[in-house]
Amino acid sequence: MTIHKTDMLKTLWATVREVKIELLESEELAEGTRVLVTLLPDDETEFWLQTSQTSLSSVWDNAEDDVYAELL
């Protein structure tokens, strides 16, 4: 399988205005380009807190580290 530059994923910020997605930065997109749209809550701070909490929980809440708690 050959990977071309156009095969790489790129994240672009956009907003919805009158039922159309408008990019917040200039980007040339070919007609018919497939996109994946992720809806973010209005309060982006809460979104990022919840997202990072998932990662933190996987690092800190694990049975392997329980041995360190017993040392205290």
Side-chain angles (χ1 to χ4, degrees):
M1 179 170 105
T2 303
I3 298 178
H4 302 282
K5 182 181 177 192
T6 56
D7 292 333
M8 301 303 221
L9 295 176
K10 183 172 186 178
T11 301
L12 303 171
W13 286 93
T15 57
V16 176
R17 297 195 194 287
E18 298 181 13
V19 195
K20 293 182 182 176
I21 297 171
E22 294 182 2
L23 297 176
L24 297 177
E25 54 195 271
S26 293
E27 183 70 28
E28 286 189 36
L29 299 174
E31 185 67 27
T33 298
R34 291 176 17 148
V35 299
L36 175 65
V37 177
T38 302
L39 302 179
L40 299 174
D42 289 335
D43 182 6
E44 289 182 40
T45 302
E46 185 62 28
F47 168 80
W48 290 112
L49 286 174
Q50 288 178 356
T51 302
S52 61
Q53 185 60 49
T54 302
S55 296
L56 287 172
S57 294
S58 69
V59 171
W60 292 103
D61 297 336
N62 62 68
E64 292 84 16
D65 287 343
D66 288 348
V67 66
Y68 296 111
E70 295 173 13
L71 296 175
L72 297 176

